[in-house]
Amino acid sequence: MLKQLKIWLISFLVFVATTWLFFGIFNYFDIPNNPMWLVLGTLMAFGYIFLSYHRLLRNRQPKIQQKISDNMLAHYQAAGMSNEEINFFRETMQLAEGQVKEVATNLQALPKLRAIDLNHDTVKTTQALFKAIVKEPQKLHNASDFLYRHLPSLTELSRKFIEISQHDVKTADTYAVLDKSAEAIAALSQQIQTDYTEFVADDLEDLDTEVSVANQQLTKEQNDDRND
C-alpha cells in the first residue's frame, strides 16, 4: 500500500514538473494556445505509473505454490494455529528448507567444509532441527535465532567460502579470509547444536520424567514381589 501511494505521489510531481517544463518550452518558442504541453505532461506521468507498477508486480515474491496436504493441515490445526499462522509458518519453513538443502550441498563441496560437518554433525543437526520445528509448529518462536540468524548466516558463509576457494589466484589475504570463514562456520555449527538442544529440551525433560516414573514403578513392583 505504501509503495503504491509513493508511486502516485511521485507521478503527480512528475506531472507538475514536466507540465511546467513543456509550458516554458512552448512559450519560449512562441507557440500560443497549444495544449500539447499539458498532454505531454500527462503522458509522462502515466508513463511513470505504468513502469513503476510493472516493476512492482515483477519484483513481488511468489506465494507458496504447493497445496497443503490434509494430514499437515490437520497437524497444524491440532497445534491450535489459525490460517494466517499456518501460512506464515509454511512460508518461513519453505525458505528454511531451501537453506537446509543448500547447507547440505555446500558442506560436501570441499574437504575443509566436509571436515567441519564431520566434527560438528552440521548437516544432520540442521535437518533434525528443521524436522523438530515442523513436528511442533507452535514452538516456532523458540527457533527464531536458528531460522533468522544462524541458518541464513551458515548458508551465506558456506556459499562465500566455496566461491573464494575457487579463485584461480590466492594471496595470503585470501587464505586468511578462508581461515576466518572456516572458524565462523564451525562456530555456527556449534551454535546450531545448542539451538537444537534447547528446542528439544522439553521433550528430553518429559522423557527423563517418564523414565524416572517407570523405574520407580518397577522398583515398587520388585519390592512387592519380595514381600510376597
Side-chain angles (χ1 to χ4, degrees), residues 2-55:
L2 290 177
K3 290 183 178 180
Q4 295 175 351
L5 182 61
K6 181 180 178 181
I7 290 173
W8 283 101
L9 178 60
I10 294 177
S11 66
F12 174 75
L13 296 177
V14 169
F15 169 76
V16 172
T18 55
T19 298
W20 278 103
L21 174 63
F22 288 121
F23 177 75
I25 292 174
F26 275 61
N27 279 342
Y28 180 80
F29 289 101
D30 294 326
I31 307 176
N33 300 323
N34 194 322
M36 281 300 297
W37 53 272
L38 183 60
V39 174
L40 291 172
T42 303
L43 289 176
M44 292 290 290
F46 275 101
Y48 173 80
I49 293 173
F50 174 79
L51 292 175
S52 298
Y53 268 94
H54 178 72
R55 188 183 302 111

Side-chain angles (χ1 to χ4, degrees), residues 1 33 45-46 61 76 78 82 86 98 115 118 133 137 140 161 163 170-171 182 185 195 198 200 202 208-209 213:
M1 182 64 182
N33 300 323
F46 275 101
Q61 296 295 328
Y76 295 140
S82 65
I86 291 173
L118 183 63
I133 299 169
L140 178 67
F161 187 93
E163 179 182 332
K170 298 182 182 68
T171 65
I185 292 171
D195 292 340
E198 292 177 350
V200 301
D202 292 341
D208 185 61
T209 301
V213 170

